[in-house]
């Protein structure tokens, strides 16, 4: 029987990490979450949405996790700016692995995108995907 392991909430980790890195790079006022901004609110200048697609256990305390990230523009974030933002977000996620105790990402083993994706709103949308090797904590 495999050892019991608790894995971190990757969506929560990545949204916090992306949010802080975007602010550090002067990209403020956007909405970074694991869900799209509610339609009853004013549209933010941009949205970055992180989705954990789960994965498979690869070791005693490791798992390979697939993650999808969407960048959605608005009236104030046009096509070229959406692409630039998506490239920045790609670099942030690709560089997120660390040995810091609060960081569950041991390695980014694959990345694809960003790709242009049609959006019903007419605003620019970019999508990228990643595979992360994540480390859990033993359940005791």
């Amino acid at each position: 029987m495999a050892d019991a392991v608790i894995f971190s909430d990757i969506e929560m980790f990545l949204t916090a990490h992306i949010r802080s890195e975007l602010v550090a790079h002067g990209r403020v006022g956007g909405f970074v979450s694991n869900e799209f901004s509610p339609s009853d609110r004013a549209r933010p200048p941009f949205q970055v949405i992180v989705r954990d697609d789960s994965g498979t256990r690869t070791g005693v305390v490791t798992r390979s996790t697939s993650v999808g990230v969407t960048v959605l523009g608005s009236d104030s974030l046009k096509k070229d700016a959406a692409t630039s933002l998506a490239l920045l977000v790609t670099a942030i996620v690709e560089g997120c692995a660390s040995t810091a105790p609060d960081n569950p990402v041991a390695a980014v083993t694959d990345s694809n995108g960003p790709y242009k994706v049609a959006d019903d709103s007419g605003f620019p949308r970019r999508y990228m995907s990643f595979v992360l090797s994540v480390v859990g904590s033993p359940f005791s």
Side-chain angles (χ1 to χ4, degrees):
M1 178 196 270
D3 293 330
V5 174
I6 303 293
F7 289 96
S8 296
D9 182 335
I10 291 299
E11 288 177 345
M12 186 171 72
F13 168 76
L14 281 178
T15 55
H17 180 72
I18 292 167
R19 192 178 298 115
S20 69
E21 288 294 313
L22 287 176
V23 169
H25 287 87
R27 302 292 184 112
V28 296
F31 182 81
V32 182
S33 181
N34 64 342
E35 297 179 0
F36 286 92
S37 176
S39 59
D40 61 343
R41 292 186 188 168
R43 184 181 277 284
F46 63 84
Q47 296 182 57
V48 178
I49 309 305
V50 176
R51 185 189 71 235
D52 179 351
D53 291 332
S54 193
T56 58
R57 185 104 172 241
T58 56
V60 175
V61 294
T62 57
R63 172 169 100 175
S64 179
T65 299
S66 297
V67 175
V69 179
T70 297
V71 170
L72 182 61
S74 67
D75 287 329
S76 61
L77 188 74
K78 302 299 182 192
K79 287 189 294 190
D80 292 344
T83 298
S84 294
L85 178 60
L87 290 168
L88 176 59
V89 171
T90 298
I92 290 168
V93 176
E94 286 177 341
C96 75
S98 166
T99 59
D102 62 341
N103 186 336
V105 181
V108 178
T109 60
D110 193 21
S111 87
N112 289 291
Y115 304 104
K116 293 178 183 178
V117 177
D119 191 83
D120 291 341
S121 70
F123 294 116
R125 179 185 285 235
R126 305 294 180 264
Y127 179 79
M128 58 226 77
S129 62
F130 306 90
V131 177
L132 312 176
S133 178
V134 297
V135 179
S137 301
F139 176 72
S140 52

